[in-house]
Amino acid sequence: VDTNTIHVTIKLNKDHDVFNGHFPGNPITPGVCMIQTIKEITQDHVNSSLFLQTISNIKFTALINPNSNAELILELSIIEDNNRVKLKNITKFTDGTIALKYNGTFIKN
């Protein structure tokens, strides 16, 4: 944790049921799962439940396949403003390849 930036490494469970249907034989991490992961990490950091208000920008620049890239590095820049949390995320593979860029705003509960 820097002042407003969190660096987190996560490992995807390639045997999770979500990959059975998305997609058989070629598992890809669903975008909604990545957004949920980002939200949960942010909630832990701000110690509050969050609700997604807006996504101003999201780009998936590489397929996140748990068989070939199970470990992800997330960099989250968090700015708390009253009841809102503004977030910028860059998710990378361990080789430095950017897989996801995300900018959004959550509302604290």
Side-chain angles (χ1 to χ4, degrees):
V1 176
D2 288 333
T3 308
N4 291 326
T5 305
I6 302 171
H7 300 271
V8 178
T9 301
I10 64 171
K11 185 165 184 172
L12 300 174
N13 177 0
K14 68 181 177 107
D15 297 320
H16 193 280
D17 286 341
V18 73
F19 295 115
N20 291 336
H22 204 269
F23 296 95
N26 187 27
I28 304 299
T29 304
V32 69
C33 292
M34 289 305 303
I35 294 169
Q36 182 67 24
T37 299
I38 291 166
K39 175 188 165 191
E40 289 179 13
I41 293 167
T42 305
Q43 284 181 150
D44 287 347
H45 180 71
V46 301
N47 198 30
S48 179
S49 295
L50 299 175
F51 293 96
L52 181 62
Q53 181 182 33
T54 59
I55 296 175
S56 57
N57 189 24
I58 189 166
K59 291 183 183 178
F60 291 89
T61 55
L63 297 175
I64 302 173
N65 182 322
N67 291 328
S68 55
N69 291 295
E71 196 167 280
L72 303 174
I73 301 165
L74 286 75
E75 180 179 300
L76 298 100
S77 298
I78 299 169
I79 298 173
E80 294 184 67
D81 181 24
N82 295 322
N83 203 32
R84 288 191 171 89
V85 176
K86 296 180 182 180
L87 176 71
K88 290 183 180 181
N89 165 258
I90 296 175
T91 299
K92 299 178 183 179
F93 300 137
T94 55
D95 70 0
T97 301
I98 296 174
L100 168 63
K101 291 183 177 181
Y102 168 92
N103 295 339
T105 303
F106 293 97
I107 297 175
K108 289 184 181 180
N109 181 17

XYZ file of all heavy atoms in Angstrom:
858
model
N 0.850 -1.189 0.000
C 0.000 0.000 0.000
C 0.880 1.230 0.000
O 1.722 1.398 0.862
C -0.931 0.015 1.232
C -1.743 1.295 1.261
C -1.819 -1.201 1.257
N 0.699 2.088 -1.008
C 1.270 3.428 -1.013
C 0.207 4.344 -0.441
O -0.798 3.889 0.081
C 1.630 3.864 -2.441
C 2.842 3.126 -2.983
O 3.678 2.694 -2.179
O 2.939 2.992 -4.212
N 0.381 5.635 -0.588
C -0.586 6.585 -0.052
C -2.005 6.263 -0.499
O -2.878 6.036 0.316
C -0.219 8.020 -0.482
O 1.147 8.249 -0.150
C -1.091 9.027 0.206
N -2.246 6.258 -1.794
C -3.575 5.955 -2.317
C -3.554 4.813 -3.314
O -4.492 4.646 -4.080
C -4.176 7.191 -2.994
C -4.514 8.273 -2.004
O -4.894 7.991 -0.884
N -4.357 9.514 -2.408
N -2.478 4.038 -3.330
C -2.356 2.959 -4.301
C -2.099 1.635 -3.597
O -1.276 1.553 -2.706
C -1.209 3.252 -5.295
O -1.437 4.524 -5.906
C -1.132 2.200 -6.371
N -2.836 0.624 -4.042
C -2.684 -0.724 -3.497
C -2.106 -1.602 -4.601
O -2.526 -1.525 -5.755
C -4.049 -1.315 -3.095
C -4.754 -0.451 -2.088
C -3.894 -2.720 -2.560
C -6.181 -0.898 -1.847
N -1.157 -2.444 -4.240
C -0.613 -3.444 -5.157
C -0.976 -4.804 -4.580
O -0.602 -5.113 -3.454
C 0.904 -3.301 -5.283
C 1.322 -1.970 -5.811
N 1.462 -1.706 -7.151
C 1.606 -0.808 -5.183
C 1.829 -0.462 -7.326
N 1.917 0.111 -6.137
N -1.711 -5.585 -5.353
C -2.205 -6.868 -4.881
C -1.874 -7.939 -5.914
O -2.021 -7.712 -7.120
C -3.739 -6.831 -4.672
C -4.273 -8.172 -4.239
C -4.130 -5.753 -3.689
N -1.443 -9.084 -5.449
C -1.251 -10.233 -6.331
C -2.305 -11.267 -5.966
O -2.482 -11.585 -4.786
C 0.161 -10.828 -6.157
O 1.127 -9.822 -6.464
C 0.368 -12.015 -7.076
N -3.018 -11.751 -6.983
C -4.030 -12.782 -6.756
C -3.716 -13.988 -7.634
O -3.030 -13.871 -8.649
C -5.466 -12.288 -7.031
C -5.656 -11.916 -8.501
C -5.820 -11.124 -6.124
C -7.101 -11.641 -8.875
N -4.212 -15.129 -7.219
C -4.055 -16.340 -8.019
C -5.439 -16.900 -8.315
O -6.241 -17.116 -7.402
C -3.212 -17.382 -7.283
C -2.928 -18.584 -8.143
C -1.833 -19.436 -7.576
C -1.563 -20.559 -8.563
N -0.402 -21.322 -8.204
N -5.719 -17.080 -9.593
C -7.000 -17.618 -10.018
C -7.031 -19.130 -9.805
O -6.033 -19.817 -10.026
C -7.232 -17.315 -11.500
C -7.251 -15.833 -11.880
C -7.336 -15.690 -13.402
C -8.405 -15.113 -11.211
N -8.186 -19.626 -9.390
C -8.388 -21.060 -9.200
C -8.877 -21.649 -10.521
O -10.061 -21.555 -10.852
C -9.402 -21.301 -8.085
C -9.717 -22.761 -7.889
O -9.190 -23.626 -8.573
N -10.609 -23.034 -6.948
N -7.982 -22.251 -11.275
C -8.324 -22.786 -12.597
C -9.373 -23.891 -12.534
O -10.008 -24.207 -13.540
C -7.076 -23.267 -13.328
C -6.425 -24.469 -12.716
C -5.175 -24.862 -13.484
C -4.502 -26.021 -12.794
N -4.654 -27.260 -13.479
N -9.591 -24.472 -11.341
C -10.564 -25.539 -11.187
C -11.944 -25.036 -10.746
O -12.852 -25.841 -10.528
C -10.050 -26.570 -10.176
C -8.785 -27.249 -10.656
O -8.702 -27.552 -11.866
O -7.871 -27.447 -9.836
N -12.115 -23.729 -10.637
C -13.404 -23.172 -10.211
C -14.473 -23.455 -11.274
O -14.198 -23.456 -12.474
C -13.281 -21.664 -9.980
C -14.458 -21.096 -9.265
N -15.645 -20.801 -9.892
C -14.633 -20.777 -7.955
C -16.505 -20.324 -9.013
N -15.914 -20.296 -7.827
N -15.704 -23.678 -10.809
C -16.817 -24.007 -11.702
C -17.087 -22.945 -12.764
O -17.595 -23.270 -13.836
C -18.096 -24.250 -10.900
C -18.087 -25.581 -10.175
O -17.289 -26.457 -10.552
O -18.888 -25.739 -9.226
N -16.773 -21.683 -12.494
C -17.063 -20.624 -13.460
C -16.369 -20.888 -14.794
O -16.875 -20.517 -15.854
C -16.695 -19.223 -12.908
C -15.188 -19.016 -12.865
C -17.347 -18.121 -13.724
N -15.235 -21.557 -14.752
C -14.486 -21.810 -15.981
C -15.049 -22.981 -16.790
O -14.700 -23.136 -17.961
C -13.005 -22.033 -15.666
C -12.350 -20.812 -15.093
C -11.871 -20.813 -13.793
C -12.224 -19.653 -15.839
C -11.272 -19.691 -13.256
C -11.635 -18.519 -15.312
C -11.156 -18.537 -14.018
N -15.933 -23.785 -16.187
C -16.560 -24.883 -16.930
C -17.458 -24.373 -18.048
O -17.588 -25.012 -19.081
C -17.369 -25.782 -15.998
C -16.489 -26.561 -15.054
O -15.320 -26.798 -15.336
N -17.040 -26.945 -13.916
N -18.078 -23.247 -17.847
C -18.988 -22.718 -18.853
C -18.440 -21.515 -19.596
O -19.077 -20.987 -20.497
N -17.258 -21.092 -19.244
C -16.707 -19.853 -19.833
C -15.235 -20.047 -20.174
O -14.379 -19.417 -19.549
C -16.872 -18.702 -18.835
C -16.888 -17.343 -19.451
N -15.748 -16.594 -19.632
C -17.898 -16.594 -19.931
C -16.068 -15.427 -20.170
N -17.366 -15.409 -20.356
N -14.817 -20.784 -20.966
C -15.453 -21.609 -21.984
C -14.826 -22.995 -21.916
O -13.624 -23.106 -21.698
C -15.239 -20.991 -23.372
C -15.901 -19.655 -23.536
C -15.195 -18.490 -23.315
C -17.246 -19.571 -23.878
C -15.807 -17.259 -23.472
C -17.858 -18.336 -24.038
C -17.142 -17.173 -23.827
N -15.600 -24.065 -22.120
C -15.050 -25.418 -22.024
C -13.847 -25.609 -22.962
O -13.908 -25.284 -24.132
C -16.221 -26.311 -22.451
C -17.443 -25.492 -22.151
C -17.031 -24.062 -22.424
N -12.751 -26.085 -22.391
C -11.547 -26.324 -23.177
C -10.678 -25.091 -23.382
O -9.524 -25.206 -23.764
N -11.230 -23.914 -23.159
C -10.478 -22.670 -23.301
C -10.999 -21.670 -22.267
O -11.700 -20.724 -22.598
C -10.621 -22.093 -24.709
C -9.716 -20.893 -24.921
O -8.674 -20.760 -24.294
N -10.128 -19.997 -25.798
N -10.661 -21.900 -20.991
C -11.233 -21.063 -19.931
C -10.761 -19.612 -19.999
O -9.581 -19.345 -20.199
C -10.744 -21.743 -18.652
C -9.504 -22.467 -19.054
C -9.704 -22.871 -20.475
N -11.719 -18.715 -19.874
C -11.448 -17.280 -19.856
C -12.144 -16.702 -18.625
O -13.305 -17.007 -18.357
C -11.999 -16.590 -21.123
C -11.436 -17.233 -22.394
C -11.729 -15.089 -21.090
C -9.938 -17.171 -22.541
N -11.435 -15.861 -17.884
C -12.025 -15.239 -16.698
C -13.091 -14.234 -17.136
O -12.797 -13.317 -17.898
C -10.936 -14.528 -15.870
O -9.912 -15.473 -15.557
C -11.514 -13.945 -14.594
N -14.328 -14.403 -16.676
C -15.385 -13.456 -17.041
C -15.073 -12.044 -16.532
O -14.563 -11.865 -15.421
C -16.633 -14.020 -16.340
C -16.325 -15.469 -16.128
C -14.845 -15.516 -15.873
N -15.393 -11.062 -17.343
C -15.165 -9.660 -16.963
C -15.859 -9.298 -15.670
O -15.304 -8.579 -14.834
N -17.068 -9.797 -15.481
C -17.804 -9.485 -14.260
C -17.080 -10.015 -13.025
O -17.133 -9.405 -11.956
C -19.268 -9.998 -14.344
C -19.314 -11.511 -14.323
C -20.122 -9.396 -13.259
N -16.371 -11.129 -13.168
C -15.587 -11.657 -12.044
C -14.419 -10.743 -11.714
O -14.089 -10.548 -10.536
C -15.083 -13.065 -12.357
S -16.395 -14.295 -12.456
N -13.803 -10.167 -12.735
C -12.701 -9.230 -12.492
C -13.209 -7.957 -11.816
O -12.582 -7.440 -10.890
C -11.972 -8.901 -13.793
C -11.148 -10.046 -14.340
S -9.930 -10.704 -13.159
C -8.972 -9.242 -12.771
N -14.355 -7.461 -12.247
C -14.927 -6.262 -11.622
C -15.281 -6.552 -10.166
O -15.017 -5.732 -9.279
C -16.150 -5.759 -12.416
C -15.696 -5.265 -13.792
C -16.878 -4.647 -11.657
C -16.819 -5.001 -14.762
N -15.846 -7.713 -9.897
C -16.181 -8.092 -8.522
C -14.921 -8.201 -7.667
O -14.902 -7.769 -6.509
C -16.959 -9.414 -8.496
C -17.390 -9.849 -7.116
C -18.432 -8.941 -6.484
O -19.174 -8.240 -7.172
N -18.497 -8.945 -5.164
N -13.859 -8.767 -8.224
C -12.591 -8.881 -7.496
C -12.057 -7.497 -7.137
O -11.638 -7.258 -5.996
C -11.559 -9.659 -8.345
O -12.068 -10.966 -8.584
C -10.217 -9.732 -7.654
N -12.074 -6.599 -8.100
C -11.616 -5.221 -7.865
C -12.458 -4.564 -6.777
O -11.932 -3.915 -5.871
C -11.666 -4.416 -9.184
C -10.595 -4.936 -10.151
C -11.514 -2.925 -8.933
C -10.763 -4.458 -11.578
N -13.765 -4.755 -6.847
C -14.663 -4.182 -5.841
C -14.351 -4.725 -4.450
O -14.257 -3.965 -3.482
C -16.115 -4.481 -6.201
C -17.116 -4.019 -5.157
C -18.509 -4.520 -5.479
C -19.392 -4.378 -4.269
N -20.663 -5.067 -4.401
N -14.168 -6.033 -4.322
C -13.921 -6.640 -3.009
C -12.592 -6.185 -2.415
O -12.503 -5.926 -1.206
C -13.986 -8.158 -3.118
C -15.404 -8.653 -3.343
C -15.512 -10.166 -3.479
O -14.541 -10.879 -3.161
O -16.591 -10.634 -3.913
N -11.566 -6.068 -3.233
C -10.276 -5.568 -2.740
C -10.421 -4.133 -2.257
O -9.905 -3.762 -1.197
C -9.198 -5.684 -3.830
C -8.893 -7.157 -4.126
C -7.921 -4.940 -3.411
C -8.075 -7.383 -5.377
N -11.148 -3.321 -3.012
C -11.363 -1.921 -2.640
C -12.175 -1.813 -1.362
O -11.870 -1.004 -0.481
C -12.044 -1.159 -3.793
O -11.265 -1.323 -4.987
C -12.181 0.318 -3.476
N -13.218 -2.639 -1.225
C -14.025 -2.646 -0.004
C -13.163 -2.925 1.222
O -13.314 -2.270 2.252
C -15.126 -3.716 -0.080
C -16.283 -3.362 -0.934
C -17.359 -4.439 -0.962
O -18.497 -4.089 -1.134
N -17.051 -5.706 -0.832
N -12.277 -3.893 1.108
C -11.388 -4.216 2.225
C -10.512 -3.015 2.582
O -10.283 -2.732 3.754
C -10.502 -5.415 1.896
C -11.259 -6.738 1.911
O -12.411 -6.763 2.411
O -10.701 -7.731 1.425
N -10.042 -2.320 1.567
C -9.147 -1.177 1.802
C -9.877 -0.003 2.468
O -9.347 0.616 3.383
C -8.502 -0.716 0.499
C -7.580 0.444 0.677
N -6.357 0.323 1.298
C -7.719 1.746 0.346
C -5.769 1.510 1.328
N -6.576 2.386 0.760
N -11.094 0.298 2.000
C -11.830 1.443 2.554
C -12.706 1.046 3.737
O -13.353 1.899 4.340
C -12.667 2.178 1.471
C -11.780 2.680 0.361
C -13.800 1.321 0.933
N -12.764 -0.241 4.039
C -13.518 -0.754 5.178
C -14.992 -0.348 5.122
O -15.559 0.134 6.096
C -12.875 -0.311 6.500
C -13.349 -1.144 7.667
O -13.679 -2.312 7.502
N -13.377 -0.549 8.842
N -15.580 -0.539 3.945
C -16.980 -0.184 3.756
C -17.542 -0.992 2.590
O -16.820 -1.299 1.637
C -17.113 1.312 3.445
O -18.458 1.655 3.247
N -18.829 -1.330 2.661
C -19.498 -1.943 1.520
C -19.597 -0.914 0.406
O -19.787 0.278 0.671
C -20.901 -2.405 1.901
O -20.840 -3.430 2.856
N -19.482 -1.375 -0.816
C -19.528 -0.471 -1.961
C -20.554 -0.939 -2.974
O -20.786 -2.139 -3.124
C -18.154 -0.394 -2.643
C -16.989 0.126 -1.817
C -15.698 0.003 -2.610
C -17.228 1.567 -1.394
N -21.143 0.024 -3.679
C -22.042 -0.242 -4.796
C -21.494 0.474 -6.013
O -21.122 1.640 -5.938
C -23.461 0.247 -4.490
C -24.123 -0.523 -3.387
C -24.091 -0.051 -2.091
C -24.765 -1.732 -3.641
C -24.679 -0.755 -1.056
C -25.356 -2.438 -2.615
C -25.315 -1.959 -1.320
N -21.458 -0.220 -7.138
C -20.958 0.366 -8.367
C -21.894 1.471 -8.826
O -23.090 1.256 -8.977
C -20.832 -0.707 -9.447
C -20.294 -0.256 -10.793
C -18.870 0.270 -10.663
C -20.346 -1.412 -11.776
N -21.331 2.663 -9.036
C -22.124 3.775 -9.555
C -21.899 3.928 -11.058
O -22.853 3.927 -11.823
C -21.765 5.085 -8.853
C -22.598 6.255 -9.353
C -22.222 7.563 -8.687
O -21.068 7.790 -8.346
N -23.200 8.418 -8.516
N -20.641 4.059 -11.468
C -20.341 4.221 -12.888
C -19.025 3.528 -13.238
O -18.127 3.416 -12.410
C -20.188 5.703 -13.288
O -19.139 6.285 -12.519
C -21.462 6.483 -13.076
N -18.954 3.101 -14.463
C -17.692 2.684 -15.063
C -17.461 3.674 -16.193
O -18.214 3.701 -17.166
C -17.752 1.246 -15.607
C -17.969 0.249 -14.475
C -16.467 0.926 -16.374
C -18.148 -1.193 -14.949
N -16.455 4.517 -16.040
C -16.211 5.525 -17.069
C -15.336 4.985 -18.196
O -15.370 5.512 -19.307
C -15.584 6.779 -16.456
O -14.379 6.460 -15.788
N -14.573 3.930 -17.900
C -13.725 3.341 -18.928
C -13.327 1.938 -18.488
O -12.945 1.731 -17.343
C -12.474 4.201 -19.140
C -11.668 3.764 -20.337
O -12.185 3.148 -21.257
N -10.387 4.076 -20.324
N -13.429 1.006 -19.400
C -12.950 -0.348 -19.127
C -12.444 -0.938 -20.431
O -13.110 -0.848 -21.459
C -14.040 -1.236 -18.478
C -13.453 -2.559 -18.015
C -15.211 -1.425 -19.387
C -14.352 -3.349 -17.079
N -11.233 -1.493 -20.379
C -10.642 -2.110 -21.561
C -9.992 -3.425 -21.164
O -9.123 -3.455 -20.301
C -9.573 -1.202 -22.175
C -10.124 0.045 -22.799
C -9.025 0.866 -23.442
C -9.624 2.141 -24.001
N -8.620 3.009 -24.597
N -10.450 -4.488 -21.797
C -9.807 -5.779 -21.648
C -8.830 -5.901 -22.812
O -9.241 -5.952 -23.967
C -10.846 -6.906 -21.661
C -11.713 -6.906 -20.442
C -12.895 -6.176 -20.411
C -11.332 -7.623 -19.322
C -13.693 -6.171 -19.274
C -12.131 -7.624 -18.179
C -13.306 -6.884 -18.159
N -7.547 -5.912 -22.509
C -6.530 -5.892 -23.557
C -5.887 -7.256 -23.776
O -5.072 -7.406 -24.695
C -5.454 -4.842 -23.226
O -4.923 -5.107 -21.924
C -6.052 -3.436 -23.236
N -6.224 -8.226 -22.959
C -5.731 -9.594 -23.118
C -6.707 -10.543 -22.439
O -7.351 -10.178 -21.453
C -4.337 -9.743 -22.499
N -6.826 -11.749 -22.989
C -7.674 -12.761 -22.366
C -6.995 -13.283 -21.109
O -5.802 -13.586 -21.117
C -7.919 -13.918 -23.332
C -8.681 -13.570 -24.611
C -8.739 -14.799 -25.523
C -10.071 -13.063 -24.297
N -7.763 -13.361 -20.029
C -7.227 -13.846 -18.760
C -7.592 -15.316 -18.634
O -8.687 -15.674 -18.216
C -7.757 -13.008 -17.574
C -7.398 -11.532 -17.768
C -7.195 -13.545 -16.257
C -8.021 -10.590 -16.751
N -6.665 -16.160 -19.042
C -6.842 -17.611 -19.029
C -6.121 -18.160 -17.797
O -4.908 -18.015 -17.679
C -6.256 -18.206 -20.314
C -6.426 -19.697 -20.405
O -6.319 -20.421 -19.409
N -6.673 -20.189 -21.605
N -6.848 -18.794 -16.874
C -6.218 -19.275 -15.637
C -5.199 -20.400 -15.845
O -4.396 -20.655 -14.961
C -7.400 -19.761 -14.801
C -8.420 -20.147 -15.816
C -8.258 -19.168 -16.942
N -5.238 -21.054 -17.002
C -4.252 -22.097 -17.274
C -2.900 -21.510 -17.654
O -1.864 -22.083 -17.349
C -4.734 -23.034 -18.382
C -5.900 -23.886 -17.934
O -6.008 -24.240 -16.768
N -6.784 -24.192 -18.856
N -2.905 -20.367 -18.322
C -1.639 -19.782 -18.767
C -1.222 -18.563 -17.952
O -0.042 -18.220 -17.932
C -1.718 -19.416 -20.249
O -2.812 -18.568 -20.499
N -2.180 -17.902 -17.309
C -1.883 -16.705 -16.509
C -2.731 -16.704 -15.243
O -3.614 -15.867 -15.076
C -2.163 -15.426 -17.317
C -1.197 -15.247 -18.445
O -0.008 -15.057 -18.231
N -1.694 -15.326 -19.676
N -2.451 -17.625 -14.351
C -3.250 -17.755 -13.133
C -2.938 -16.664 -12.124
O -3.777 -16.323 -11.304
C -3.033 -19.118 -12.490
N -1.737 -16.111 -12.181
C -1.350 -15.077 -11.211
C -1.475 -13.704 -11.861
O -0.948 -13.473 -12.951
C 0.084 -15.321 -10.741
C 0.424 -14.548 -9.491
C 1.722 -15.026 -8.862
O 1.697 -16.056 -8.155
O 2.745 -14.371 -9.099
N -2.186 -12.814 -11.183
C -2.418 -11.455 -11.675
C -1.927 -10.442 -10.657
O -2.033 -10.653 -9.454
C -3.910 -11.227 -11.919
C -4.608 -12.186 -12.884
C -6.106 -11.911 -12.883
C -4.038 -12.044 -14.284
N -1.433 -9.335 -11.166
C -0.992 -8.231 -10.317
C -1.937 -7.064 -10.569
O -2.075 -6.610 -11.705
C 0.461 -7.832 -10.642
C 1.377 -9.036 -10.443
C 0.890 -6.643 -9.790
C 2.746 -8.883 -11.063
N -2.598 -6.620 -9.511
C -3.539 -5.512 -9.614
C -2.963 -4.281 -8.934
O -2.468 -4.369 -7.808
C -4.877 -5.862 -8.951
C -5.779 -6.839 -9.700
C -5.266 -8.254 -9.607
C -7.194 -6.751 -9.173
N -3.019 -3.172 -9.630
C -2.640 -1.881 -9.062
C -3.903 -1.035 -9.020
O -4.501 -0.760 -10.050
C -1.586 -1.208 -9.933
C -1.150 0.136 -9.409
C -0.091 0.768 -10.284
O 0.983 0.158 -10.433
O -0.350 1.859 -10.821
N -4.305 -0.671 -7.808
C -5.537 0.084 -7.630
C -5.216 1.436 -7.014
O -4.668 1.499 -5.916
C -6.508 -0.676 -6.718
C -6.971 -2.032 -7.231
C -6.190 -3.130 -6.552
C -8.435 -2.206 -6.991
N -5.559 2.498 -7.724
C -5.422 3.858 -7.202
C -6.792 4.283 -6.706
O -7.756 4.329 -7.476
C -4.931 4.815 -8.290
O -3.659 4.413 -8.738
N -6.864 4.586 -5.412
C -8.152 4.832 -4.751
C -8.182 6.246 -4.191
O -7.275 6.651 -3.467
C -8.367 3.816 -3.613
C -8.394 2.398 -4.191
C -9.627 4.121 -2.826
C -8.347 1.311 -3.137
N -9.250 6.958 -4.536
C -9.472 8.291 -3.977
C -10.851 8.295 -3.335
O -11.863 8.079 -4.009
C -9.388 9.391 -5.053
C -7.985 9.405 -5.671
C -9.737 10.755 -4.454
C -7.831 10.328 -6.848
N -10.876 8.520 -2.019
C -12.149 8.619 -1.304
C -12.584 10.073 -1.279
O -11.811 10.960 -0.916
C -12.006 8.081 0.115
C -11.727 6.593 0.152
C -11.681 6.044 1.554
O -12.738 6.033 2.229
O -10.578 5.659 1.983
N -13.838 10.316 -1.665
C -14.401 11.658 -1.712
C -15.797 11.596 -1.104
O -16.742 11.175 -1.772
C -14.441 12.152 -3.164
C -14.996 13.550 -3.298
O -14.947 14.319 -2.324
O -15.478 13.871 -4.406
N -15.901 11.981 0.168
C -17.168 11.893 0.907
C -17.705 10.477 0.853
O -17.102 9.563 1.362
C -18.181 12.917 0.399
C -17.726 14.337 0.671
O -17.147 14.620 1.703
N -17.976 15.224 -0.276
N -18.823 10.288 0.179
C -19.483 8.991 0.132
C -19.118 8.193 -1.120
O -19.712 7.168 -1.397
C -21.007 9.204 0.204
C -21.723 7.975 0.708
O -21.191 7.229 1.523
N -22.921 7.749 0.206
N -18.146 8.688 -1.885
C -17.755 8.035 -3.132
C -16.312 7.557 -3.065
O -15.479 8.128 -2.391
C -17.912 8.996 -4.302
C -19.357 9.256 -4.671
C -19.439 9.990 -6.002
N -20.810 10.056 -6.449
C -21.645 11.029 -6.129
N -21.241 12.019 -5.371
N -22.874 11.012 -6.583
N -16.049 6.528 -3.843
C -14.689 6.018 -3.987
C -14.395 5.971 -5.486
O -15.058 5.244 -6.235
C -14.546 4.606 -3.378
C -13.144 4.068 -3.629
C -14.866 4.625 -1.893
N -13.433 6.767 -5.903
C -13.012 6.761 -7.302
C -11.830 5.818 -7.423
O -10.921 5.837 -6.605
C -12.638 8.171 -7.754
C -13.817 9.116 -7.736
C -13.420 10.503 -8.181
C -14.624 11.422 -8.091
N -14.298 12.778 -8.514
N -11.872 5.002 -8.463
C -10.896 3.933 -8.585
C -10.341 3.854 -9.999
O -11.083 3.940 -10.973
C -11.584 2.604 -8.241
C -10.769 1.348 -8.403
C -9.703 1.272 -7.328
C -11.655 0.137 -8.368
N -9.025 3.691 -10.070
C -8.360 3.361 -11.325
C -7.610 2.066 -11.082
O -6.929 1.918 -10.075
C -7.382 4.459 -11.738
C -8.045 5.732 -12.162
C -7.011 6.744 -12.633
C -7.717 8.025 -13.044
N -6.764 9.029 -13.533
N -7.768 1.145 -12.006
C -7.109 -0.158 -11.881
C -6.360 -0.506 -13.151
O -6.849 -0.258 -14.251
C -8.147 -1.252 -11.600
C -7.570 -2.635 -11.821
O -7.820 -3.264 -12.843
N -6.779 -3.096 -10.899
N -5.188 -1.083 -12.964
C -4.461 -1.737 -14.046
C -4.154 -3.149 -13.552
O -3.577 -3.324 -12.482
C -3.162 -1.002 -14.408
C -3.482 0.395 -14.949
C -2.359 -1.802 -15.442
C -2.256 1.245 -15.223
N -4.585 -4.136 -14.324
C -4.324 -5.531 -14.004
C -3.332 -6.068 -15.021
O -3.539 -5.917 -16.231
C -5.623 -6.357 -14.040
O -6.533 -5.831 -13.067
C -5.367 -7.825 -13.747
N -2.260 -6.693 -14.506
C -1.201 -7.204 -15.379
C -0.939 -8.673 -15.096
O -1.195 -9.164 -13.995
C 0.112 -6.446 -15.125
C 0.051 -4.974 -15.396
C 1.386 -4.324 -15.060
C 1.332 -2.823 -15.257
N 2.614 -2.189 -14.909
N -0.370 -9.348 -16.099
C 0.186 -10.673 -15.894
C 1.568 -10.486 -15.268
O 2.129 -9.391 -15.274
C 0.317 -11.427 -17.215
C -0.992 -11.630 -17.938
C -1.068 -11.441 -19.307
C -2.141 -12.012 -17.271
C -2.263 -11.628 -19.983
C -3.345 -12.203 -17.930
C -3.398 -12.008 -19.300
N 2.136 -11.555 -14.757
C 3.444 -11.457 -14.107
C 4.558 -11.052 -15.075
O 5.591 -10.554 -14.647
C 3.823 -12.776 -13.408
O 3.759 -13.841 -14.354
C 2.884 -13.056 -12.243
N 4.344 -11.214 -16.386
C 5.346 -10.783 -17.367
C 5.218 -9.305 -17.716
O 5.958 -8.787 -18.551
C 5.298 -11.643 -18.632
C 4.050 -11.405 -19.482
O 3.189 -10.568 -19.118
O 3.924 -12.070 -20.532
N 4.242 -8.609 -17.074
C 4.055 -7.183 -17.305
C 2.998 -6.835 -18.339
O 2.639 -5.670 -18.497
N 2.471 -7.821 -19.044
C 1.420 -7.579 -20.032
C 0.167 -7.062 -19.346
O -0.307 -7.651 -18.369
C 1.076 -8.878 -20.799
O 2.247 -9.355 -21.448
C -0.037 -8.651 -21.811
N -0.369 -5.959 -19.838
C -1.596 -5.402 -19.281
C -2.791 -6.188 -19.818
O -2.948 -6.345 -21.026
C -1.725 -3.910 -19.609
C -0.589 -3.132 -18.930
C -3.095 -3.370 -19.178
C -0.526 -1.655 -19.305
N -3.625 -6.665 -18.906
C -4.806 -7.443 -19.273
C -6.094 -6.630 -19.149
O -7.065 -6.887 -19.850
C -4.911 -8.685 -18.401
N -6.101 -5.630 -18.245
C -7.317 -4.887 -17.956
C -6.971 -3.496 -17.450
O -6.067 -3.331 -16.626
C -8.128 -5.635 -16.892
C -9.310 -4.938 -16.214
C -10.399 -4.602 -17.217
C -9.850 -5.782 -15.085
N -7.706 -2.510 -17.960
C -7.662 -1.145 -17.418
C -9.097 -0.768 -17.069
O -10.011 -1.001 -17.864
C -7.108 -0.154 -18.443
C -5.650 -0.330 -18.735
C -5.176 0.740 -19.703
C -3.698 0.624 -19.963
N -3.240 1.683 -20.879
N -9.270 -0.178 -15.907
C -10.620 0.087 -15.400
C -10.632 1.401 -14.636
O -9.761 1.630 -13.790
C -11.022 -1.071 -14.470
C -12.242 -0.826 -13.641
C -13.496 -1.203 -14.100
C -12.156 -0.231 -12.391
C -14.625 -0.984 -13.336
C -13.279 -0.012 -11.622
C -14.506 -0.394 -12.098
O -15.617 -0.174 -11.337
N -11.574 2.268 -14.935
C -11.837 3.487 -14.167
C -13.314 3.492 -13.788
O -14.180 3.306 -14.656
C -11.548 4.751 -14.976
C -10.104 4.920 -15.337
O -9.232 4.345 -14.713
N -9.835 5.693 -16.351
N -13.592 3.691 -12.510
C -14.981 3.695 -12.084
C -15.175 4.382 -10.751
O -14.207 4.780 -10.097
N -16.434 4.501 -10.381
C -16.805 5.130 -9.120
C -17.773 4.222 -8.380
O -18.715 3.684 -8.958
C -17.472 6.507 -9.348
O -16.581 7.325 -10.103
C -17.805 7.196 -8.040
N -17.504 4.053 -7.088
C -18.385 3.301 -6.207
C -18.978 4.252 -5.179
O -18.386 5.278 -4.850
C -17.603 2.220 -5.450
C -17.069 1.127 -6.325
C -15.761 1.168 -6.774
C -17.869 0.063 -6.699
C -15.239 0.161 -7.575
C -17.356 -0.957 -7.487
C -16.049 -0.898 -7.931
N -20.145 3.897 -4.658
C -20.775 4.644 -3.584
C -20.648 3.797 -2.317
O -20.913 2.590 -2.330
C -22.240 4.945 -3.865
C -22.351 5.846 -5.100
C -22.927 5.587 -2.672
C -23.764 6.112 -5.543
N -20.244 4.435 -1.217
C -20.149 3.723 0.062
C -21.531 3.482 0.622
O -22.425 4.312 0.506
C -19.349 4.539 1.088
C -17.878 4.610 0.802
C -17.203 5.353 1.916
C -15.720 5.504 1.701
N -15.092 6.239 2.806
N -21.679 2.343 1.279
C -22.959 2.024 1.923
C -22.860 2.344 3.387
O -21.988 1.971 4.076
C -23.285 0.548 1.714
C -24.608 0.159 2.329
O -25.430 1.014 2.642
N -24.795 -1.111 2.504
